[in-house]
Amino acid sequence: MPTYSLNINGKVQTVEVAEGTPLLWVLREHLGLTGTKYSCGIAQCGSCTIHLDGNPTKACVLPVNAVPDGKVITTIEGLSENNEHPLQKAWIEAQAPQCGYCQSGQLMQAAALLKDNPNPTREEIKSHMNGILCRCGTYMRIIKAIELASEQSAKTA
């Protein structure tokens, strides 16, 4: 089996897996990074969203051999070392999760939005978050959490 070196959450990890193995399974099964969730397996729900060089990417359909050398992978575990990311705090304040299953994908998608647009409108939030499904329907709390994080970031900037 081929060996792959991946820069994940600031650390180079080497894995030996079959070519074509989805990055999601490399993260979860081979590296123990279980925060990234499996749900649909066809990149339709977004629970498996990670960042690839800062861009939200669905890990369930990305084969490990398609990750270009030198690209930086960030999972929910790498969003913040101590769970102090403004979004993580806002998620708690807004009581965004219900079952919690989609939340890592929601947070990763939202983090990419706020990185590129620190002060989004409600419509921009809705548009950007459109590809991440919440089975429990807590969309209004998720939007509120993103707005809270945006406000907090503006206060500390």
Side-chain angles (χ1 to χ4, degrees):
M1 276 194 277
T3 301
Y4 301 95
S5 288
L6 304 167
N7 182 344
I8 303 172
N9 300 331
K11 183 179 175 187
V12 175
Q13 306 258 11
T14 303
V15 293
E16 187 177 305
V17 295
E19 187 175 318
T21 301
L23 180 59
L24 173 65
W25 297 119
V26 172
L27 295 170
R28 289 183 60 79
E29 301 298 323
H30 297 275
L31 299 174
L33 298 170
T34 57
T36 305
K37 302 299 183 199
Y38 172 79
S39 187
C40 71
I42 57 172
Q44 296 298 303
C45 74
S47 291
C48 66
T49 301
I50 51 104
H51 290 174
L52 187 60
D53 272 354
N55 298 310
T57 304
K58 308 295 192 308
C60 71
V61 294
L62 179 63
V64 67
N65 54 294
V67 176
D69 287 339
K71 294 291 182 180
V72 175
I73 299 165
T74 306
T75 68
I76 189 70
E77 292 91 348
L79 191 59
S80 169
E81 286 183 29
N82 54 6
N83 298 322
E84 292 290 320
H85 191 282
L87 279 167
Q88 291 169 315
K89 290 179 176 181
W91 238 248
I92 293 167
E93 185 177 336
Q95 298 180 3
Q98 188 163 322
C99 83
Y101 202 80
C102 69
Q103 297 308 303
S104 60
Q106 299 279 0
L107 281 158
M108 296 305 285
Q109 187 79 5
L113 168 65
L114 294 183
K115 177 182 66 85
D116 293 338
N117 182 358
N119 191 23
T121 65
R122 185 165 273 228
E123 287 307 312
E124 289 170 328
I125 293 170
K126 287 180 184 179
S127 176
H128 186 82
M129 299 301 292
N130 196 31
I132 312 294
L133 302 179
C134 175
R135 294 174 182 175
C136 301
T138 66
Y139 296 110
M140 296 311 293
R141 291 186 295 197
I142 290 167
I143 291 168
K144 180 64 178 167
I146 296 168
E147 291 171 336
L148 285 170
S150 175
E151 291 167 12
Q152 280 304 111
S153 295
K155 288 179 186 176
T156 59

